Amino acid sequence: DSVHVAVWDRRWLLHHVIALLGYTTSEMANVFALANAVNTWVTELGSLMYSLYLVLKTPVAYKAFVGLYTLSRIYFAIWSCTVLLQVRRALLAPPGHFPFWAPYCAALLQILLLGVNVAFLATH
């Protein structure tokens, strides 16, 4: 997928860089893996919807894509709030089983990923 983005569809490069940073940092810190799993599931669902629209390229397919993609991004925004609440909880807890930078990194990457998805939604 990342090779495809690097070669053919570069507008998704920022999205992939953010996702890879999320995977890497959560692996290093051994936390926030569930956030990455749900992020991947939701964003890949959006990619599948967009790919299906590109195959069909009809006005009905476009309207269906925009409607379903909008719903999935609303869910993604709600999920992002859940992740940010978990980050807040981690910051308020006594120092524990993760590096000090992990909650900040998780919050920043979640906000960036949400921003990329909202920007794509705004183009439609």
Side-chain angles (χ1 to χ4, degrees):
D1 196 34
S2 295
V3 172
H4 171 81
V5 167
V7 174
W8 297 105
D9 203 1
R10 291 193 179 106
R11 68 180 151 174
W12 294 106
L13 190 58
L14 179 60
H15 173 272
H16 279 71
V17 168
I18 294 167
L20 289 172
L21 285 171
Y23 301 141
T24 303
T25 56
S26 71
E27 183 68 24
M28 289 169 50
N30 201 27
V31 292
F32 295 110
L34 179 61
N36 287 324
V38 174
N39 289 345
T40 301
W41 178 79
V42 174
T43 56
E44 287 304 315
L45 180 63
S47 295
L48 287 173
M49 287 187 279
Y50 186 63
S51 294
L52 182 60
Y53 158 68
L54 289 177
V55 168
L56 300 174
K57 282 214 174 182
T58 66
V60 171
Y62 181 74
K63 288 177 185 174
F65 160 70
V66 170
L68 292 172
Y69 190 80
T70 299
L71 289 175
S72 72
R73 297 313 100 164
I74 290 169
Y75 173 79
F76 190 68
I78 293 167
W79 171 250
S80 294
C81 290
T82 302
V83 171
L84 293 175
L85 287 172
Q86 291 297 318
V87 165
R88 184 176 185 272
R89 185 177 294 159
L91 288 171
L92 294 175
H97 308 300
F98 52 83
F100 76 92
W101 53 263
Y104 300 103
C105 188
L108 176 63
L109 292 170
Q110 189 69 36
I111 290 166
L112 289 172
L113 195 55
L114 179 61
V116 168
N117 280 271
V118 169
F120 183 70
L121 178 61
T123 65
H124 296 283

